[in-house]
Amino acid sequence: MKGNSKKENIFDFKLFKRLFIYIKPYKGVFFGLLILVILLAAFSAATPYITKHAIDDSIAKHEAKDFLQYVLIMLGVLIMQTLFQLSFIFYAAWLGQNLVMDVRVKLFKHLLRFKMKYYDNSSVGVLITRAVTDMQRIADIFGEGLFMIFRDLLAMVVVFGCMVFINWRLSLIVFVMLPLLLYATRIFQKYMKKAFEEVRNEVSNLNSFVQERLTGMKILQLFTREDIEYKKFKTINERHKKGWLKTVWYNSIFFPLADLSASITIGMVAWYGGLNVVLEGTVSQGDLIAFIMFIPMLFRPLRQIADKFNTLQMGMVAANRVFKVLDTTSQIDDTGTYVAEHFKGAIAFKNVHFSYVKEEKVLKGISFNVNAGETVAIVGATGAGKSTIINLLNRFYEINEGVIAIDDINIKDVTLASLRTQIAVVLQDVFLFADTILNNITLNHPEISEAEVQQAAKDIGVHEFIMSLPNGYHYNVKERGVMLSSGQRQLISFLRAYVTNPSILILDEATSSVDSYSEQLIQNATDKITKGRTSIVIAHRLATIKKADKIIVMDSGEIVEQGTHVELLKKENGYYKNLYEVQFLKEEVA
């Protein structure tokens, strides 16, 4: 029961306190807005009050003596109110956008340092929603929610006081209706909070579904899944629609009731006040007109508060989701103190155990050594643990047991940035950003010039290929490099690795789906960039395996054999020999 009551709180002060921390750099604007709120509330009751005196002192007495003065005062009040209102709206939005900019930067910085395991288990679409859509909702807390609610509440207090001061009898009629509307507003806010939580969930699901399907569109079309995915999308979209319609339904009930309450109150005041003016004279004409002006000013803010509370609720729900990501501790512990400027390249895995999922071991106590400057090929069936070795050497994941060392230094003792700077990886699945070839190679590193890139391209034999493209190194490859073939993308990734001049090179050599020309270029590039540096190659081609100084053969997370190509072929019934005869011998004969 306790947990449920907490969920049903209309306003989460603890959450708002966290948001308030981000206001500190802009506290001058924040307090300036509070002053504007007070001024706007004070001015809100001025027009009906001036109108009352203009009617009672001039119009009712048929005297024009002070009437022009009242008109000029009212004009001045309206001008000041307009200026204050303009400043209030602008700076409330300004504060919201600046605050959310800071939160978004912090969130993105946080995401950049998450372990790969976090992304393995998270939806990209949901994270995009957190970083973009939810952020705008947080900005609306200040631009359209909190200050607006505070302004309207203060205006209601001022109007309330003026009404009692002018005529307490007429005020009683108004205040009979007010508690009913306040109760209805409370119920409305409670149900709207639940509805908006449902909406935010469905928005995340929708974003995630669309992002994944657009990314994997080729697969959907290859396997003719269009109709099935269309039906799934309709189902998700239907849930999203129902969530929004629920909020529309609550609005369609509350706001007409609020308008009806205001109209009934005006009618009752006009009836009672009108009779009083005619029969008793205890209510003046000015009082009656002022009250008819005051009632909408009392009820409308209440209606607006409910409307703005919707915005506030959506913002608080969004803030809660964003803070959940910020509170996630999924970073690799970067507690190392050794800054690696250059490794000799001796690598040692000592009894390394690892599992992506608890109690499902991927590596089962593997141990091997790579001497500085050696090229080591790792072979084995799919799922043997080859790619896992790459991930662990770069500390994308933490090992469960054992030690991984480079030059006899535990990689946990090396700062994460310097470790990864000294290790370059060419993956099988090449990812290119929607940018120029030059920026995809340098990744906007300020110390790598275009001249250096061109020289590196010439060194590994890909300069001519790049220059054959429109605009050469400034050719935009579009999203994920769709403007290039798989072989061309692979060449760009080789060059990206080469220009960093790493101490250790890791290659997931993938040439099975490229043309013979690109394959030759890739082979030449491989020979060039592995020369003179420690290289670990997940080998797919016999030519690379035969050139390796050592071959590590893996099966089911264990090293079953080690040695050179010739040594391993001499082993009777050896794992590698069998693999060679089944997989590689055909390639050699061809």
Side-chain angles (χ1 to χ4, degrees), residues 17-22 98-114 119 130-131 135 138 322-328 331:
K17 189 177 178 182
R18 286 195 67 177
L19 275 174
F20 197 80
I21 294 171
Y22 294 91
N98 276 275
L99 178 144
V100 85
M101 178 187 70
D102 294 343
V103 177
R104 186 184 282 120
V105 167
K106 184 175 181 180
L107 177 67
F108 189 71
K109 184 179 180 181
H110 197 61
L111 289 171
L112 286 173
R113 286 162 175 77
F114 276 161
Y119 294 105
R130 299 292 172 269
M135 286 297 176
I138 295 173
V322 169
F323 283 131
K324 278 183 180 178
V325 179
L326 284 171
D327 290 339
T328 302
Q331 290 84 2

Side-chain angles (χ1 to χ4, degrees), residues 451-464 466-467 473 495 498 528:
E452 289 175 315
V453 171
Q454 289 191 21
Q455 184 57 52
K458 291 174 182 176
D459 290 343
I460 65 172
V462 298
H463 177 71
E464 290 183 8
I466 295 174
M467 292 305 295
Y473 288 86
L495 188 52
Y498 185 63
K528 180 67 179 179

Side-chain angles (χ1 to χ4, degrees), residues 10-11 144-157 178 181-182 184-186 188-190 192 196 251 254-255 258 296-313:
I10 295 298
F11 189 82
E144 299 178 19
L146 183 70
F147 286 113
M148 300 290 187
I149 291 172
F150 187 36
R151 181 199 62 184
D152 289 341
L153 282 173
L154 201 56
M156 287 177 65
V157 171
L178 201 58
L181 191 57
L182 285 170
T185 302
R186 173 76 177 182
F188 170 73
Q189 290 168 347
K190 178 181 175 181
M192 284 300 288
F196 279 128
N251 282 321
F254 174 76
F255 291 119
M297 296 177 68
L298 188 65
F299 281 72
R300 187 171 58 245
L302 193 60
R303 184 186 189 282
Q304 289 175 343
I305 286 170
D307 195 22
K308 298 302 179 186
F309 205 89
N310 295 348
T311 301
L312 184 62
Q313 292 284 32

Side-chain angles (χ1 to χ4, degrees), residues 113-357:
R113 286 162 175 77
F114 276 161
K115 298 176 184 176
M116 287 300 108
K117 186 175 181 180
Y118 179 85
Y119 294 105
D120 294 341
N121 300 322
S122 300
S123 165
V124 175
V126 169
L127 292 177
I128 290 172
T129 302
R130 299 292 172 269
V132 181
T133 309
D134 284 342
M135 286 297 176
Q136 187 53 49
R137 295 283 179 257
I138 295 173
D140 291 342
I141 291 177
F142 299 93
E144 299 178 19
L146 183 70
F147 286 113
M148 300 290 187
I149 291 172
F150 187 36
R151 181 199 62 184
D152 289 341
L153 282 173
L154 201 56
M156 287 177 65
V157 171
V158 172
V159 169
F160 177 92
C162 284
M163 292 173 79
V164 173
F165 177 75
I166 291 172
N167 194 303
W168 66 269
R169 291 184 178 87
L170 290 179
S171 299
L172 283 176
I173 297 173
V174 176
F175 300 147
V176 166
M177 294 295 294
L178 201 58
L180 297 175
L181 191 57
L182 285 170
Y183 179 74
T185 302
R186 173 76 177 182
I187 298 298
F188 170 73
Q189 290 168 347
K190 178 181 175 181
Y191 281 96
M192 284 300 288
K193 184 173 188 289
K194 291 180 180 178
F196 279 128
E197 285 177 347
E198 184 179 333
V199 167
R200 295 310 306 152
N201 280 329
E202 294 306 330
V203 167
S204 293
N205 291 337
L206 194 61
N207 284 348
S208 179
F209 184 88
V210 172
Q211 188 272 332
E212 286 182 351
R213 270 58 186 183
L214 290 178
T215 303
M217 186 60 68
K218 184 182 288 187
I219 298 298
L220 296 185
Q221 293 184 358
L222 279 171
F223 290 90
T224 62
R225 296 275 299 180
E226 296 94 334
D227 291 341
I228 294 172
E229 297 302 324
Y230 170 70
K231 288 175 184 176
K232 284 184 180 179
F233 179 78
K234 283 184 69 176
T235 302
I236 295 172
N237 203 32
E238 179 69 20
R239 292 203 304 265
H240 178 260
K241 181 197 75 174
K242 286 180 179 177
W244 270 112
L245 285 179
K246 195 176 287 186
T247 68
V248 173
W249 170 245
Y250 295 146
N251 282 321
S252 64
I253 293 174
F254 174 76
F255 291 119
L257 282 176
D259 290 338
L260 180 63
S261 300
S263 299
I264 290 172
T265 306
I266 290 173
M268 291 172 64
V269 166
W271 172 74
Y272 175 79
L275 285 177
N276 198 287
V277 168
V278 174
L279 299 177
E280 299 180 22
T282 56
V283 176
S284 70
Q285 295 177 32
D287 291 347
L288 186 58
I289 297 300
F291 265 74
I292 291 173
M293 294 175 70
F294 273 135
I295 289 169
M297 296 177 68
L298 188 65
F299 281 72
R300 187 171 58 245
L302 193 60
R303 184 186 189 282
Q304 289 175 343
I305 286 170
D307 195 22
K308 298 302 179 186
F309 205 89
N310 295 348
T311 301
L312 184 62
Q313 292 284 32
M314 290 184 75
M316 296 302 277
V317 169
N320 188 45
R321 295 179 184 280
V322 169
F323 283 131
K324 278 183 180 178
V325 179
L326 284 171
D327 290 339
T328 302
T329 53
S330 185
Q331 290 84 2
I332 293 287
D333 294 329
D334 190 10
T335 55
T337 56
Y338 179 77
V339 179
E341 294 183 2
H342 185 77
F343 286 127
K344 292 178 181 177
I347 301 170
F349 274 60
K350 302 174 184 177
N351 194 32
V352 173
H353 293 257
F354 174 75
S355 56
Y356 292 103
V357 180

Side-chain angles (χ1 to χ4, degrees), residues 432-435 440 475-483:
L432 298 181
F433 295 94
D435 206 337
N440 268 291
Y475 178 64
N476 193 311
V477 300
K478 305 300 182 184
E479 189 174 0
R480 298 184 68 89
V482 294
M483 303 303 291

Side-chain angles (χ1 to χ4, degrees), residues 59-78:
I59 296 174
K61 295 178 180 180
H62 303 285
E63 295 180 3
K65 177 182 171 184
D66 297 324
F67 187 70
L68 181 60
Q69 183 179 349
Y70 284 122
V71 171
L72 291 174
I73 291 172
M74 188 176 294
L75 181 63
V77 168
L78 290 172

Side-chain angles (χ1 to χ4, degrees), residues 362-401:
V362 177
L363 298 183
K364 305 169 184 177
I366 68 167
S367 299
F368 66 88
N369 292 288
V370 180
N371 297 323
E374 275 189 338
T375 296
V376 173
I378 303 177
V379 299
T382 301
K386 304 186 298 294
S387 296
T388 301
I389 290 174
I390 296 175
N391 291 329
L392 297 182
L393 190 59
N394 280 280
R395 289 197 71 199
F396 288 137
Y397 301 87
E398 293 284 28
I399 59 176
N400 300 339
E401 188 181 332

